[in-house]
Amino acid sequence: MSHHTAAVGNNETLGNDETPGNDETFGNNDTVRHGDTSGGGAAARSGRARAWLVLLLAGAFEVGYALSVGGSHGFTVLSWSLVAVVFFLLTLFSLSLALRTLDVGLGYAVWAGIGAVGAALLGPVFFDETLTPVKALWLTVIIAGVVWLKLSDRPQHPPADELPARPDR
């Protein structure tokens, strides 16, 4: 994934993408890379937390899309079809925002897992579908996988601003 960079001032570079041509200048010579996954302190953690929240929202929109496509009966019911189009646009927009920060493979897997589990759990509520114990078991496996993916999205090393200060020698 190509990360977007932005120069903001004071010759400090945050990020890990050296792709030329992906930067913006806001003043001086500092570069901030959007989509940075290398840590970066409280601001980077806050950005990643927001990306995860947007990804959860995209997953909810995906559930709405799946259910409304089911209700549209092959896009033959206009009201359900229009709702499906709205949810489709919302889920893709939200997913694209989340993927600006999160890795594509991780984000897509979580998004698809939320959509699959949500549609399977809510299908029996809205439609004439059943949720058997075997289906519930495999949905639990998907949920566990999504949770483990989230837990795997942590920086391997603490950000430099959180390392203990080195004593002067």
Side-chain angles (χ1 to χ4, degrees), residues 112-137:
I114 292 169
V117 169
L121 291 176
L122 293 175
V125 173
F126 292 101
F127 308 112
D128 187 28
E129 297 179 3
T130 59
L131 181 62
T132 66
V134 173
K135 287 181 185 177
L137 170 72

Side-chain angles (χ1 to χ4, degrees), residues 25-148:
T25 302
F26 293 108
N28 299 354
N29 292 323
D30 292 345
T31 303
V32 174
R33 291 193 166 78
H34 304 283
D36 177 29
T37 59
S38 63
R45 281 191 307 279
S46 173
R48 292 191 72 72
R50 269 193 303 272
W52 275 101
L53 289 174
V54 171
L55 183 61
L56 292 175
L57 182 63
F61 289 146
E62 175 66 7
V63 172
Y65 170 69
L67 293 174
S68 57
V69 165
S72 76
H73 299 285
F75 291 99
T76 59
V77 178
L78 181 62
S79 59
W80 281 98
S81 299
L82 293 175
V83 171
V85 169
V86 169
F87 274 121
F88 175 74
L89 294 173
L90 289 171
T91 193
L92 288 184
F93 178 72
S94 300
L95 178 62
S96 70
L97 289 179
L99 295 182
R100 292 169 113 186
T101 302
L102 302 174
D103 291 340
V104 172
L106 174 73
Y108 184 80
V110 169
W111 173 76
I114 292 169
V117 169
L121 291 176
L122 293 175
V125 173
F126 292 101
F127 308 112
D128 187 28
E129 297 179 3
T130 59
L131 181 62
T132 66
V134 173
K135 287 181 185 177
L137 170 72
W138 291 112
L139 290 171
T140 303
V141 170
I142 292 172
I143 293 168
V146 167
V147 169
W148 279 108

